Amino acid sequence: MPDTTPLTQAVDHFADRLRAAPQSRLQRSAAAEALALARDFARWVQRVEEPGTEPREMPDAGMFAAADQILVAAHDLTMVLRNDDEVAEAVRWVEEARRRAGV
């Protein structure tokens, strides 16, 4: 089982930044970036747990739920990651999304 602590820390930091962001920042791009990341993580999990099936898309629960959506998706992802390289890749996805979100 890989050490998923770096992923958990990166996602917690992103979620905290989203919660502290002004509504205008969320509307401009931050919430959309968080939702895109959550959807990417959910698809990753589905590919591992249900290979060969059509992935379901995580719904848009609104800009104020974006932080919670990435936390839930990342938690699910930590359960299926197989090695430290996958953890590092997921952390890169979080950092890239956070930079694009501007938070």
Side-chain angles (χ1 to χ4, degrees):
M1 189 85 180
D3 179 11
T4 58
T5 303
L7 176 57
T8 302
Q9 291 173 339
V11 170
D12 285 347
H13 178 70
F14 189 15
D16 288 346
R17 299 296 304 250
L18 288 167
R19 288 187 182 111
Q23 183 174 345
S24 60
R25 174 74 45 103
L26 292 174
Q27 288 172 323
R28 276 196 307 270
S29 64
E33 287 295 338
L35 177 60
L37 177 65
R39 286 177 171 168
D40 287 344
F41 280 175
R43 280 190 293 275
W44 186 342
V45 172
Q46 290 175 46
R47 280 193 308 271
V48 172
E49 291 183 336
E50 303 170 21
T53 62
E54 185 69 28
R56 297 168 307 281
E57 185 165 291
M58 179 180 282
D60 183 347
M63 71 178 145
F64 297 114
D68 294 329
Q69 286 184 287
I70 61 168
L71 288 170
V72 169
H75 177 268
D76 290 349
L77 183 61
T78 64
M79 299 301 179
V80 302
L81 292 173
R82 295 173 291 224
N83 56 55
D84 291 335
D85 290 339
E86 288 183 348
V87 173
E89 181 179 353
V91 169
R92 278 191 300 276
W93 289 14
V94 173
E95 292 304 320
E96 290 167 6
R98 187 185 58 75
R99 279 192 297 277
R100 286 191 304 269
V103 294

